[in-house]
Amino acid sequence: MSPEETGRLSAADRREQILTAASVVFGERGYAGGTTDAIAQQAGVSQAYVVRMFGGKEKLFRASAERAADKVIEAFRGAIAEFNANDDVHEKTLKLAIAYTHLVADRGILLTLLHLFSLGHDESFGPLARSCFLSTYTIVREEAGLTPEEASAFFARGMLTTTLLAMRMPDAADDPTAAELMQCTFGETSTDLITLSQGQSPLDDSGR
Amino acid sequence: MSPEETGRLSAADRREQILTAASVVFGERGYAGGTTDAIAQQAGVSQAYVVRMFGGKEKLFRASAERAADKVIEAFRGAIAEFNANDDVHEKTLKLAIAYTHLVADRGILLTLLHLFSLGHDESFGPLARSCFLSTYTIVREEAGLTPEEASAFFARGMLTTTLLAMRMPDAADDPTAAELMQCTFGETSTDLITLSQGQSPLDDSGR
DNA sequence: GTAAGTAGTAATCAGTTGATTACATCAAGA
DNA sequence: TCTTGATGTAATCAACTGATTACTACTTAC
C-alpha cells in the first residue's frame, strides 16, 4: 500500500497537523481545559501519539502558542511589505489591521494567544506570553515605524477585536447594542470580519 | 463559645468570603484550571462546603463572574456620579479610566472577567459573557453619554490594560520596550497602576 | 529479502478533581 | 433543657486525564 492509502504521514506533516488541531482546541478551551485527547481526535491520531511527539502537554502548548505568535508576526510583515513610501499613519494602521483581520479566519490563532496572555502568572508560560506580545509590538514600532502612542492605540483596538471575537459577539449581532459596538470597533476592516468569524464549526466532544 | 471564637460565620458572610476567594483563583487559573479545592483553601473552608453552598463549580463561576461584572458597573457609576456638567469627553473618559484602574487593586475582578470572555463558545457561559460586556458598554454609552466611537475607544484601551495586566507585563518593566508600551497605554492613569499591580501574593498550592 | 528504523495504536496506570454522603458541632427558641 | 435547624467537615467515589509501556505495521537501505 502507498502512504496515501494507509494514511501514514511523515513526522513533520503530522506535527503540523497536530499543531493545527491544538490551535483549535486550546483556542476554545485554554491550556487547562484543552485535553490532549481532544487534540488527538481533532487531528485524527491517538492521544498517546500526541503526547509522545511533543513530550508532554506543556511543550505542546508552548509550540502551539509560539506558532500562533509566528503567524501574527508573519501577517504583520506581509502588511508592512505593502507599505508605500508616502503612507501616513492611518494608511499604515489600516493595512496592519486588515492583515490582523485576516488572521481571524483561523480562530485558533488569536484565541490561543489570548489564553497564553491570561497565563502571565505562570512560571513557565508567563515569560513566553510577555515575549510573544513584545515581539509583535517591536515589529509594529520598528518595522512599521509607528510611534509608541500609535502602536499602543493599534494594539488596544486589536485586543478589543480579539476579545469580542473570543466572546463570539458576532453571534449576538441581532442585538442592536452589540451591532453598534462591533460596527464602531471593526470600523473600516469590518466588511468581511463578521462573515469571516461566522459558521466556524465548534468542536464536537465525546468520550475517547 | 461565641461565634467570633469558633470562627463560624453566617451563610451570607461565608458566601461573600468564598466569592472573594473564587475571584482570586479563577482570575489566576481560569474556569477549567481553577479547582474548587484551591478556592476552599483560599477561603479557609472545606472543599465540600464550597461545592454544596453554590451547587457546583459551574454555578460558582457564574456567581463569581457576575459579581465581578457588578463591581465594574459599580465603579463606572461611581465615576459617572463625579461628572461635572461641563466635562468634555476627555475628562469623562479619564474619570472612567481612573475608576477602572482602581479595580485593578483586586486583580481577580478583571482577570475573572477576561477568562469569562474567553469562554464565548460555551453554551452556558457564552451568553453570560456577552451580556456582562454589553451591560458595561451600555452604561458607558447611555449613562456616561459617550458616543459609540468614544465608547469603543475607551473599551479598546481597557482591554489592552487588562491584557497587559493578565500577562503581568509590569513584571517586565525593566525591559525598556515593555516600559514604553505601558507608559503609553496607561497614560494619565499610570501613576499608581504599576505599583498597584505589584507585590500581589500569588497563590500557594499544595495537596488538599 | 531481511534488518532496522519510523509511524502509529491499544491497554493501562496513577494522580487529580468535582461531587456525594454521613456525620459532627453549634446557636437559638419553646 | 432539649430539640431543631444551620454551619461545617472527613471520608469516599466515580470520572477524567496525562503519561507510559508494550506492541503492530509499514517503509527503506543494504
Side-chain angles (χ1 to χ4, degrees), chain B residues 9-192:
Chain B
L9 295 180
S10 72
D13 287 352
R14 201 55 102 181
R15 191 185 153 88
E16 200 51 35
Q17 197 178 32
I18 292 173
L19 280 173
T20 300
S23 163
V24 174
V25 172
F26 283 138
E28 284 225 336
R29 311 192 193 167
Y31 174 66
T35 66
T36 55
D37 187 59
I39 293 166
Q41 281 186 257
Q42 183 83 8
V45 294
S46 70
Q47 181 259 349
Y49 193 53
V50 169
V51 170
R52 203 186 43 190
M53 168 163 270
F54 287 87
K57 185 186 177 180
E58 182 176 324
K59 287 176 186 165
L60 171 56
F61 184 72
R62 288 187 78 88
S64 179
E66 280 166 359
R67 184 165 165 276
D70 283 345
K71 296 219 170 187
V72 173
I73 288 172
E74 191 187 341
F76 282 172
R77 292 221 162 106
I80 291 169
E82 301 295 317
F83 281 5
N84 296 319
N86 58 341
D87 275 356
D88 63 8
V89 183
H90 183 259
E91 280 163 331
K92 284 179 174 179
T93 304
L94 183 58
K95 282 175 183 172
L96 286 171
I98 287 172
Y100 192 76
T101 298
H102 287 311
L103 284 174
V104 173
D106 182 352
R107 264 188 120 246
I109 295 175
L110 298 183
L111 298 194
T112 296
L113 283 175
L114 187 62
H115 281 293
L116 172 67
F117 296 157
S118 77
L119 292 173
H121 70 95
D122 187 278
E123 236 180 80
S124 162
F125 298 132
L128 178 66
R130 294 185 284 274
S131 95
C132 282
F133 193 94
L134 289 176
S135 296
T136 61
Y137 176 76
T138 300
I139 287 173
V140 170
R141 280 280 285 118
E142 298 185 355
E143 298 183 24
L146 266 57
T147 68
E149 288 75 17
E150 291 159 359
S152 172
F154 172 72
F155 277 98
R157 216 145 250 258
M159 287 320 303
L160 179 55
T161 299
T162 303
T163 305
L164 290 175
L165 230 65
M167 69 176 92
R168 299 209 186 234
M169 197 57 89
D171 289 4
D174 54 323
D175 179 332
T177 308
E180 175 194 292
L181 169 59
M182 286 189 289
Q183 178 65 37
C184 272
T185 302
F186 302 148
E188 296 166 271
T189 66
S190 69
T191 320
D192 42 12

Side-chain angles (χ1 to χ4, degrees), chain A residues 11-192:
Chain A
D13 287 351
R14 201 55 100 178
R15 191 185 153 87
E16 200 52 31
Q17 197 178 32
I18 292 173
L19 281 174
T20 300
S23 164
V24 174
V25 173
F26 284 138
E28 286 224 337
R29 311 191 193 167
Y31 174 65
T35 67
T36 54
D37 187 59
I39 294 166
Q41 280 185 258
Q42 183 84 10
V45 294
S46 69
Q47 180 259 350
Y49 192 53
V50 169
V51 170
R52 205 185 44 190
M53 168 164 271
F54 287 88
K57 185 185 178 181
E58 182 175 323
K59 287 176 184 164
L60 171 56
F61 184 72
R62 289 187 78 86
S64 179
E66 281 166 0
R67 183 163 165 277
D70 283 346
K71 294 219 173 187
V72 174
I73 288 171
E74 192 188 339
F76 282 172
R77 291 221 163 106
I80 292 169
E82 301 295 318
F83 281 5
N84 296 320
N86 58 340
D87 275 355
D88 63 9
V89 184
H90 182 258
E91 280 164 330
K92 284 180 175 180
T93 304
L94 182 57
K95 283 176 181 171
L96 286 170
I98 288 172
Y100 192 77
T101 297
H102 285 311
L103 283 174
V104 174
D106 181 351
R107 262 189 121 245
I109 294 175
L110 298 184
L111 298 193
T112 296
L113 283 175
L114 186 63
H115 282 291
L116 172 66
F117 297 157
S118 76
L119 292 173
H121 69 97
D122 188 278
E123 239 181 75
S124 161
F125 297 132
L128 177 66
R130 294 185 284 275
S131 95
C132 282
F133 193 93
L134 288 176
S135 296
T136 61
Y137 176 77
T138 301
I139 287 173
V140 169
R141 281 277 288 115
E142 298 184 355
E143 297 182 27
L146 267 57
T147 67
E149 288 76 16
E150 291 159 0
S152 172
F154 172 72
F155 277 98
R157 217 144 249 258
M159 288 318 305
L160 179 55
T161 300
T162 303
T163 305
L164 289 175
L165 230 65
M167 68 176 92
R168 299 210 187 234
M169 197 57 88
D171 288 5
D174 53 325
D175 178 333
T177 308
E180 173 195 291
L181 168 59
M182 287 189 289
Q183 178 65 37
C184 271
T185 303
F186 302 148
E188 295 169 273
T189 65
S190 70
T191 319
D192 42 10

